[in-house]
Amino acid sequence: MYLFGFGSLINLNSAQKSFERELSYKDLIPVRVKGLKKVWNSIEQINFDGKDTNGVFLNLQKDENSSTNGVVVKLSQEEFEVLKQREKNYSQVIIKAQDVQGANLDEDVIAFMTTNEEKLAKVGDENTYIPAKYIDILTAAFEHYDEEFVNEYKKEALEEFPFPLKQGVYKFSDPLQNKLAKEGIRK
């Protein structure tokens, strides 16, 4: 099975937290997926300096006229089960292998996408921010990808933000989700 990563999973250090096996950037295969685009609207309850807030993270949205870049990584059923905990508020969607450009895949791809309306941020929502540290996770990965990938990614996700950025350290309010995202599963 393959997973499409478009947010923090493009960063090896972040992705590694969900895998017991040792990953390298060779495992994160850059691709472009037809029929989807990146949007800033996935809400997670997070805590900034002791205050609960709505954190907004990247999401996918269906759009037949668009395509978006990210990575695919091969994973086992056990690894997928761990990722489901880390990405617990996302729905699992299937991307047809023929819609993935840049890799010759022998099976369809799974992606995590927020589809629950209650978990979608709307412009103007109060107490709703994009964590600046999340942006740092995304951009820290850029040195491992080619210029075309980085430029496309910036254009798709980092040129305009629909919510204010908030500086500082954050943690996920859900303890298990926070452990998997921050500490990982490796012993």
Side-chain angles (χ1 to χ4, degrees):
M1 119 182 6
Y2 291 93
L3 175 74
F4 177 61
F6 58 91
S8 61
L9 294 176
I10 71 166
N11 181 303
L12 181 63
N13 291 334
S14 182
Q16 183 65 68
K17 292 174 183 174
S18 295
F19 292 84
E20 287 187 355
R21 67 182 157 108
E22 191 71 30
L23 293 178
S24 76
Y25 272 102
K26 290 178 184 172
D27 296 307
L28 305 178
I29 304 161
V31 296
R32 177 158 285 282
V33 174
K34 297 186 296 187
L36 294 170
K37 68 179 182 179
K38 292 182 193 80
V39 291
W40 287 100
N41 71 356
S42 181
I43 297 175
E44 292 288 342
Q45 291 298 306
I46 59 174
N47 187 290
F48 269 107
D49 302 322
K51 296 178 186 158
D52 288 332
T53 189
N54 292 320
V56 179
F57 298 86
L58 276 176
N59 192 15
L60 293 174
Q61 182 177 321
K62 290 185 180 186
D63 182 341
E64 293 307 315
N65 298 316
S66 293
S67 65
T68 193
N69 68 352
V71 299
V72 290
V73 60
K74 186 125 176 103
L75 59 137
S76 68
Q77 186 63 41
E78 294 80 21
E79 291 165 337
F80 179 58
E81 294 303 320
V82 171
L83 279 159
K84 286 196 305 192
Q85 292 297 311
R86 175 177 168 164
E87 311 291 344
K88 72 183 196 91
N89 290 322
Y90 289 81
S91 300
Q92 298 152 40
V93 298
I94 302 296
I95 300 169
K96 295 288 182 196
Q98 65 262 23
D99 290 334
V100 179
Q101 302 167 325
N104 189 10
L105 305 179
D106 54 1
E107 57 187 312
D108 292 341
V109 177
I110 295 170
F112 290 104
M113 183 171 117
T114 301
T115 57
N116 179 348
E117 284 293 323
E118 294 177 11
K119 290 287 192 177
L120 296 177
K122 291 159 191 64
V123 173
D125 284 353
E126 294 185 16
N127 196 33
T128 303
Y129 304 94
I130 296 171
K133 292 267 187 212
Y134 178 69
I135 303 292
D136 294 343
I137 291 169
L138 302 176
T139 58
F142 287 169
E143 68 183 273
H144 301 282
Y145 298 100
D146 67 27
E147 185 177 355
E148 181 181 2
F149 180 94
V150 171
N151 288 339
E152 288 173 355
Y153 197 96
K154 286 178 180 177
K155 183 178 179 188
E156 293 172 21
L158 301 177
E159 286 185 352
E160 293 182 32
F161 299 108
F163 300 93
L165 299 183
K166 186 168 179 84
Q167 300 296 326
V169 176
Y170 68 93
K171 67 179 185 176
F172 292 97
S173 297
D174 179 275
L176 178 58
Q177 186 181 21
N178 191 65
K179 179 184 183 325
L180 292 173
K182 302 291 182 173
E183 300 171 30
I185 62 168
R186 297 181 84 193
K187 294 165 179 57

mmCIF file with all atom_site columns, all heavy atoms in Angstrom, residues 138-154:
data_model
loop_
_atom_site.group_PDB
_atom_site.id
_atom_site.type_symbol
_atom_site.label_atom_id
_atom_site.label_alt_id
_atom_site.label_comp_id
_atom_site.label_asym_id
_atom_site.label_entity_id
_atom_site.label_seq_id
_atom_site.pdbx_PDB_ins_code
_atom_site.Cartn_x
_atom_site.Cartn_y
_atom_site.Cartn_z
_atom_site.occupancy
_atom_site.B_iso_or_equiv
_atom_site.pdbx_formal_charge
_atom_site.auth_seq_id
_atom_site.auth_comp_id
_atom_site.auth_asym_id
_atom_site.auth_atom_id
_atom_site.pdbx_PDB_model_num
ATOM 1   N N   . LEU A 1 138 ? 7.504  22.083 7.126   1.00 0.00 ? 138 LEU A N   1
ATOM 2   C CA  . LEU A 1 138 ? 7.366  21.946 5.672   1.00 0.00 ? 138 LEU A CA  1
ATOM 3   C C   . LEU A 1 138 ? 8.615  22.442 4.955   1.00 0.00 ? 138 LEU A C   1
ATOM 4   O O   . LEU A 1 138 ? 9.190  21.736 4.123   1.00 0.00 ? 138 LEU A O   1
ATOM 5   C CB  . LEU A 1 138 ? 6.147  22.732 5.174   1.00 0.00 ? 138 LEU A CB  1
ATOM 6   C CG  . LEU A 1 138 ? 4.792  22.364 5.782   1.00 0.00 ? 138 LEU A CG  1
ATOM 7   C CD1 . LEU A 1 138 ? 3.715  23.305 5.257   1.00 0.00 ? 138 LEU A CD1 1
ATOM 8   C CD2 . LEU A 1 138 ? 4.438  20.920 5.512   1.00 0.00 ? 138 LEU A CD2 1
ATOM 9   N N   . THR A 1 139 ? 9.044  23.651 5.280   1.00 0.00 ? 139 THR A N   1
ATOM 10  C CA  . THR A 1 139 ? 10.145 24.271 4.533   1.00 0.00 ? 139 THR A CA  1
ATOM 11  C C   . THR A 1 139 ? 11.494 23.640 4.849   1.00 0.00 ? 139 THR A C   1
ATOM 12  O O   . THR A 1 139 ? 12.398 23.676 4.011   1.00 0.00 ? 139 THR A O   1
ATOM 13  C CB  . THR A 1 139 ? 10.189 25.793 4.768   1.00 0.00 ? 139 THR A CB  1
ATOM 14  O OG1 . THR A 1 139 ? 10.330 26.055 6.171   1.00 0.00 ? 139 THR A OG1 1
ATOM 15  C CG2 . THR A 1 139 ? 8.915  26.461 4.259   1.00 0.00 ? 139 THR A CG2 1
ATOM 16  N N   . ALA A 1 140 ? 11.641 23.028 6.010   1.00 0.00 ? 140 ALA A N   1
ATOM 17  C CA  . ALA A 1 140 ? 12.901 22.360 6.355   1.00 0.00 ? 140 ALA A CA  1
ATOM 18  C C   . ALA A 1 140 ? 13.181 21.186 5.413   1.00 0.00 ? 140 ALA A C   1
ATOM 19  O O   . ALA A 1 140 ? 14.335 20.796 5.240   1.00 0.00 ? 140 ALA A O   1
ATOM 20  C CB  . ALA A 1 140 ? 12.876 21.879 7.805   1.00 0.00 ? 140 ALA A CB  1
ATOM 21  N N   . ALA A 1 141 ? 12.145 20.648 4.809   1.00 0.00 ? 141 ALA A N   1
ATOM 22  C CA  . ALA A 1 141 ? 12.310 19.513 3.898   1.00 0.00 ? 141 ALA A CA  1
ATOM 23  C C   . ALA A 1 141 ? 12.768 19.937 2.508   1.00 0.00 ? 141 ALA A C   1
ATOM 24  O O   . ALA A 1 141 ? 13.266 19.100 1.745   1.00 0.00 ? 141 ALA A O   1
ATOM 25  C CB  . ALA A 1 141 ? 10.993 18.748 3.779   1.00 0.00 ? 141 ALA A CB  1
ATOM 26  N N   . PHE A 1 142 ? 12.625 21.191 2.171   1.00 0.00 ? 142 PHE A N   1
ATOM 27  C CA  . PHE A 1 142 ? 12.848 21.635 0.790   1.00 0.00 ? 142 PHE A CA  1
ATOM 28  C C   . PHE A 1 142 ? 14.237 21.330 0.249   1.00 0.00 ? 142 PHE A C   1
ATOM 29  O O   . PHE A 1 142 ? 14.389 21.068 -0.936  1.00 0.00 ? 142 PHE A O   1
ATOM 30  C CB  . PHE A 1 142 ? 12.559 23.128 0.652   1.00 0.00 ? 142 PHE A CB  1
ATOM 31  C CG  . PHE A 1 142 ? 11.095 23.482 0.687   1.00 0.00 ? 142 PHE A CG  1
ATOM 32  C CD1 . PHE A 1 142 ? 10.712 24.802 0.794   1.00 0.00 ? 142 PHE A CD1 1
ATOM 33  C CD2 . PHE A 1 142 ? 10.103 22.516 0.619   1.00 0.00 ? 142 PHE A CD2 1
ATOM 34  C CE1 . PHE A 1 142 ? 9.372  25.150 0.819   1.00 0.00 ? 142 PHE A CE1 1
ATOM 35  C CE2 . PHE A 1 142 ? 8.757  22.852 0.649   1.00 0.00 ? 142 PHE A CE2 1
ATOM 36  C CZ  . PHE A 1 142 ? 8.386  24.181 0.748   1.00 0.00 ? 142 PHE A CZ  1
ATOM 37  N N   . GLU A 1 143 ? 15.248 21.343 1.095   1.00 0.00 ? 143 GLU A N   1
ATOM 38  C CA  . GLU A 1 143 ? 16.612 21.112 0.605   1.00 0.00 ? 143 GLU A CA  1
ATOM 39  C C   . GLU A 1 143 ? 16.789 19.716 0.017   1.00 0.00 ? 143 GLU A C   1
ATOM 40  O O   . GLU A 1 143 ? 17.752 19.451 -0.689  1.00 0.00 ? 143 GLU A O   1
ATOM 41  C CB  . GLU A 1 143 ? 17.630 21.351 1.721   1.00 0.00 ? 143 GLU A CB  1
ATOM 42  C CG  . GLU A 1 143 ? 17.544 20.325 2.838   1.00 0.00 ? 143 GLU A CG  1
ATOM 43  C CD  . GLU A 1 143 ? 18.497 20.615 3.978   1.00 0.00 ? 143 GLU A CD  1
ATOM 44  O OE1 . GLU A 1 143 ? 19.662 20.168 3.884   1.00 0.00 ? 143 GLU A OE1 1
ATOM 45  O OE2 . GLU A 1 143 ? 18.079 21.281 4.946   1.00 0.00 ? 143 GLU A OE2 1
ATOM 46  N N   . HIS A 1 144 ? 15.837 18.822 0.272   1.00 0.00 ? 144 HIS A N   1
ATOM 47  C CA  . HIS A 1 144 ? 15.941 17.436 -0.201  1.00 0.00 ? 144 HIS A CA  1
ATOM 48  C C   . HIS A 1 144 ? 15.164 17.179 -1.492  1.00 0.00 ? 144 HIS A C   1
ATOM 49  O O   . HIS A 1 144 ? 15.124 16.037 -1.959  1.00 0.00 ? 144 HIS A O   1
ATOM 50  C CB  . HIS A 1 144 ? 15.475 16.484 0.892   1.00 0.00 ? 144 HIS A CB  1
ATOM 51  C CG  . HIS A 1 144 ? 16.274 16.628 2.149   1.00 0.00 ? 144 HIS A CG  1
ATOM 52  N ND1 . HIS A 1 144 ? 17.525 16.076 2.286   1.00 0.00 ? 144 HIS A ND1 1
ATOM 53  C CD2 . HIS A 1 144 ? 16.020 17.298 3.296   1.00 0.00 ? 144 HIS A CD2 1
ATOM 54  C CE1 . HIS A 1 144 ? 18.010 16.384 3.487   1.00 0.00 ? 144 HIS A CE1 1
ATOM 55  N NE2 . HIS A 1 144 ? 17.111 17.122 4.101   1.00 0.00 ? 144 HIS A NE2 1
ATOM 56  N N   . TYR A 1 145 ? 14.540 18.228 -2.024  1.00 0.00 ? 145 TYR A N   1
ATOM 57  C CA  . TYR A 1 145 ? 13.750 18.094 -3.243  1.00 0.00 ? 145 TYR A CA  1
ATOM 58  C C   . TYR A 1 145 ? 14.295 19.027 -4.314  1.00 0.00 ? 145 TYR A C   1
ATOM 59  O O   . TYR A 1 145 ? 14.962 20.017 -4.009  1.00 0.00 ? 145 TYR A O   1
ATOM 60  C CB  . TYR A 1 145 ? 12.271 18.390 -2.957  1.00 0.00 ? 145 TYR A CB  1
ATOM 61  C CG  . TYR A 1 145 ? 11.674 17.414 -1.971  1.00 0.00 ? 145 TYR A CG  1
ATOM 62  C CD1 . TYR A 1 145 ? 11.523 17.750 -0.634  1.00 0.00 ? 145 TYR A CD1 1
ATOM 63  C CD2 . TYR A 1 145 ? 11.279 16.146 -2.381  1.00 0.00 ? 145 TYR A CD2 1
ATOM 64  C CE1 . TYR A 1 145 ? 10.992 16.844 0.278   1.00 0.00 ? 145 TYR A CE1 1
ATOM 65  C CE2 . TYR A 1 145 ? 10.748 15.231 -1.475  1.00 0.00 ? 145 TYR A CE2 1
ATOM 66  C CZ  . TYR A 1 145 ? 10.606 15.596 -0.148  1.00 0.00 ? 145 TYR A CZ  1
ATOM 67  O OH  . TYR A 1 145 ? 10.086 14.695 0.743   1.00 0.00 ? 145 TYR A OH  1
ATOM 68  N N   . ASP A 1 146 ? 13.962 18.727 -5.572  1.00 0.00 ? 146 ASP A N   1
ATOM 69  C CA  . ASP A 1 146 ? 14.472 19.576 -6.650  1.00 0.00 ? 146 ASP A CA  1
ATOM 70  C C   . ASP A 1 146 ? 13.732 20.915 -6.690  1.00 0.00 ? 146 ASP A C   1
ATOM 71  O O   . ASP A 1 146 ? 12.684 21.103 -6.048  1.00 0.00 ? 146 ASP A O   1
ATOM 72  C CB  . ASP A 1 146 ? 14.447 18.849 -7.991  1.00 0.00 ? 146 ASP A CB  1
ATOM 73  C CG  . ASP A 1 146 ? 13.051 18.554 -8.521  1.00 0.00 ? 146 ASP A CG  1
ATOM 74  O OD1 . ASP A 1 146 ? 12.083 19.276 -8.210  1.00 0.00 ? 146 ASP A OD1 1
ATOM 75  O OD2 . ASP A 1 146 ? 12.921 17.583 -9.289  1.00 0.00 ? 146 ASP A OD2 1
ATOM 76  N N   . GLU A 1 147 ? 14.300 21.827 -7.456  1.00 0.00 ? 147 GLU A N   1
ATOM 77  C CA  . GLU A 1 147 ? 13.792 23.198 -7.517  1.00 0.00 ? 147 GLU A CA  1
ATOM 78  C C   . GLU A 1 147 ? 12.346 23.256 -8.009  1.00 0.00 ? 147 GLU A C   1
ATOM 79  O O   . GLU A 1 147 ? 11.530 24.018 -7.494  1.00 0.00 ? 147 GLU A O   1
ATOM 80  C CB  . GLU A 1 147 ? 14.700 24.038 -8.424  1.00 0.00 ? 147 GLU A CB  1
ATOM 81  C CG  . GLU A 1 147 ? 14.348 25.501 -8.458  1.00 0.00 ? 147 GLU A CG  1
ATOM 82  C CD  . GLU A 1 147 ? 15.318 26.311 -9.310  1.00 0.00 ? 147 GLU A CD  1
ATOM 83  O OE1 . GLU A 1 147 ? 16.318 25.752 -9.808  1.00 0.00 ? 147 GLU A OE1 1
ATOM 84  O OE2 . GLU A 1 147 ? 15.053 27.516 -9.479  1.00 0.00 ? 147 GLU A OE2 1
ATOM 85  N N   . GLU A 1 148 ? 12.017 22.427 -8.982  1.00 0.00 ? 148 GLU A N   1
ATOM 86  C CA  . GLU A 1 148 ? 10.652 22.415 -9.516  1.00 0.00 ? 148 GLU A CA  1
ATOM 87  C C   . GLU A 1 148 ? 9.647  22.011 -8.428  1.00 0.00 ? 148 GLU A C   1
ATOM 88  O O   . GLU A 1 148 ? 8.607  22.647 -8.268  1.00 0.00 ? 148 GLU A O   1
ATOM 89  C CB  . GLU A 1 148 ? 10.558 21.455 -10.703 1.00 0.00 ? 148 GLU A CB  1
ATOM 90  C CG  . GLU A 1 148 ? 9.173  21.405 -11.316 1.00 0.00 ? 148 GLU A CG  1
ATOM 91  C CD  . GLU A 1 148 ? 9.065  20.424 -12.482 1.00 0.00 ? 148 GLU A CD  1
ATOM 92  O OE1 . GLU A 1 148 ? 10.061 19.736 -12.798 1.00 0.00 ? 148 GLU A OE1 1
ATOM 93  O OE2 . GLU A 1 148 ? 7.984  20.348 -13.068 1.00 0.00 ? 148 GLU A OE2 1
ATOM 94  N N   . PHE A 1 149 ? 9.962  20.956 -7.683  1.00 0.00 ? 149 PHE A N   1
ATOM 95  C CA  . PHE A 1 149 ? 9.083  20.509 -6.603  1.00 0.00 ? 149 PHE A CA  1
ATOM 96  C C   . PHE A 1 149 ? 8.880  21.634 -5.589  1.00 0.00 ? 149 PHE A C   1
ATOM 97  O O   . PHE A 1 149 ? 7.752  21.945 -5.197  1.00 0.00 ? 149 PHE A O   1
ATOM 98  C CB  . PHE A 1 149 ? 9.680  19.273 -5.909  1.00 0.00 ? 149 PHE A CB  1
ATOM 99  C CG  . PHE A 1 149 ? 8.838  18.733 -4.782  1.00 0.00 ? 149 PHE A CG  1
ATOM 100 C CD1 . PHE A 1 149 ? 7.939  17.708 -5.009  1.00 0.00 ? 149 PHE A CD1 1
ATOM 101 C CD2 . PHE A 1 149 ? 8.950  19.242 -3.485  1.00 0.00 ? 149 PHE A CD2 1
ATOM 102 C CE1 . PHE A 1 149 ? 7.163  17.190 -3.974  1.00 0.00 ? 149 PHE A CE1 1
ATOM 103 C CE2 . PHE A 1 149 ? 8.170  18.740 -2.447  1.00 0.00 ? 149 PHE A CE2 1
ATOM 104 C CZ  . PHE A 1 149 ? 7.278  17.717 -2.698  1.00 0.00 ? 149 PHE A CZ  1
ATOM 105 N N   . VAL A 1 150 ? 9.975  22.255 -5.160  1.00 0.00 ? 150 VAL A N   1
ATOM 106 C CA  . VAL A 1 150 ? 9.909  23.306 -4.132  1.00 0.00 ? 150 VAL A CA  1
ATOM 107 C C   . VAL A 1 150 ? 9.109  24.505 -4.641  1.00 0.00 ? 150 VAL A C   1
ATOM 108 O O   . VAL A 1 150 ? 8.235  25.019 -3.926  1.00 0.00 ? 150 VAL A O   1
ATOM 109 C CB  . VAL A 1 150 ? 11.333 23.726 -3.696  1.00 0.00 ? 150 VAL A CB  1
ATOM 110 C CG1 . VAL A 1 150 ? 11.299 24.955 -2.801  1.00 0.00 ? 150 VAL A CG1 1
ATOM 111 C CG2 . VAL A 1 150 ? 12.038 22.563 -3.001  1.00 0.00 ? 150 VAL A CG2 1
ATOM 112 N N   . ASN A 1 151 ? 9.376  24.947 -5.855  1.00 0.00 ? 151 ASN A N   1
ATOM 113 C CA  . ASN A 1 151 ? 8.653  26.106 -6.392  1.00 0.00 ? 151 ASN A CA  1
ATOM 114 C C   . ASN A 1 151 ? 7.161  25.828 -6.519  1.00 0.00 ? 151 ASN A C   1
ATOM 115 O O   . ASN A 1 151 ? 6.333  26.687 -6.198  1.00 0.00 ? 151 ASN A O   1
ATOM 116 C CB  . ASN A 1 151 ? 9.243  26.534 -7.736  1.00 0.00 ? 151 ASN A CB  1
ATOM 117 C CG  . ASN A 1 151 ? 10.600 27.186 -7.577  1.00 0.00 ? 151 ASN A CG  1
ATOM 118 O OD1 . ASN A 1 151 ? 10.958 27.675 -6.506  1.00 0.00 ? 151 ASN A OD1 1
ATOM 119 N ND2 . ASN A 1 151 ? 11.376 27.174 -8.651  1.00 0.00 ? 151 ASN A ND2 1
ATOM 120 N N   . GLU A 1 152 ? 6.810  24.633 -6.987  1.00 0.00 ? 152 GLU A N   1
ATOM 121 C CA  . GLU A 1 152 ? 5.393  24.268 -7.090  1.00 0.00 ? 152 GLU A CA  1
ATOM 122 C C   . GLU A 1 152 ? 4.749  24.207 -5.707  1.00 0.00 ? 152 GLU A C   1
ATOM 123 O O   . GLU A 1 152 ? 3.629  24.677 -5.519  1.00 0.00 ? 152 GLU A O   1
ATOM 124 C CB  . GLU A 1 152 ? 5.243  22.923 -7.802  1.00 0.00 ? 152 GLU A CB  1
ATOM 125 C CG  . GLU A 1 152 ? 5.539  22.992 -9.277  1.00 0.00 ? 152 GLU A CG  1
ATOM 126 C CD  . GLU A 1 152 ? 5.547  21.628 -9.950  1.00 0.00 ? 152 GLU A CD  1
ATOM 127 O OE1 . GLU A 1 152 ? 5.416  20.584 -9.252  1.00 0.00 ? 152 GLU A OE1 1
ATOM 128 O OE2 . GLU A 1 152 ? 5.689  21.595 -11.185 1.00 0.00 ? 152 GLU A OE2 1
ATOM 129 N N   . TYR A 1 153 ? 5.453  23.634 -4.757  1.00 0.00 ? 153 TYR A N   1
ATOM 130 C CA  . TYR A 1 153 ? 4.911  23.512 -3.405  1.00 0.00 ? 153 TYR A CA  1
ATOM 131 C C   . TYR A 1 153 ? 4.660  24.898 -2.807  1.00 0.00 ? 153 TYR A C   1
ATOM 132 O O   . TYR A 1 153 ? 3.600  25.159 -2.237  1.00 0.00 ? 153 TYR A O   1
ATOM 133 C CB  . TYR A 1 153 ? 5.873  22.708 -2.521  1.00 0.00 ? 153 TYR A CB  1
ATOM 134 C CG  . TYR A 1 153 ? 5.218  22.198 -1.266  1.00 0.00 ? 153 TYR A CG  1
ATOM 135 C CD1 . TYR A 1 153 ? 4.699  20.909 -1.214  1.00 0.00 ? 153 TYR A CD1 1
ATOM 136 C CD2 . TYR A 1 153 ? 5.086  23.004 -0.136  1.00 0.00 ? 153 TYR A CD2 1
ATOM 137 C CE1 . TYR A 1 153 ? 4.081  20.433 -0.066  1.00 0.00 ? 153 TYR A CE1 1
ATOM 138 C CE2 . TYR A 1 153 ? 4.463  22.545 1.005   1.00 0.00 ? 153 TYR A CE2 1
ATOM 139 C CZ  . TYR A 1 153 ? 3.963  21.251 1.034   1.00 0.00 ? 153 TYR A CZ  1
ATOM 140 O OH  . TYR A 1 153 ? 3.337  20.785 2.162   1.00 0.00 ? 153 TYR A OH  1
ATOM 141 N N   . LYS A 1 154 ? 5.636  25.776 -2.947  1.00 0.00 ? 154 LYS A N   1
ATOM 142 C CA  . LYS A 1 154 ? 5.482  27.143 -2.420  1.00 0.00 ? 154 LYS A CA  1
ATOM 143 C C   . LYS A 1 154 ? 4.282  27.831 -3.059  1.00 0.00 ? 154 LYS A C   1
ATOM 144 O O   . LYS A 1 154 ? 3.482  28.464 -2.364  1.00 0.00 ? 154 LYS A O   1
ATOM 145 C CB  . LYS A 1 154 ? 6.749  27.962 -2.690  1.00 0.00 ? 154 LYS A CB  1
ATOM 146 C CG  . LYS A 1 154 ? 7.918  27.599 -1.801  1.00 0.00 ? 154 LYS A CG  1
ATOM 147 C CD  . LYS A 1 154 ? 9.141  28.430 -2.175  1.00 0.00 ? 154 LYS A CD  1
ATOM 148 C CE  . LYS A 1 154 ? 10.330 28.106 -1.305  1.00 0.00 ? 154 LYS A CE  1
ATOM 149 N NZ  . LYS A 1 154 ? 11.535 28.868 -1.714  1.00 0.00 ? 154 LYS A NZ  1
#
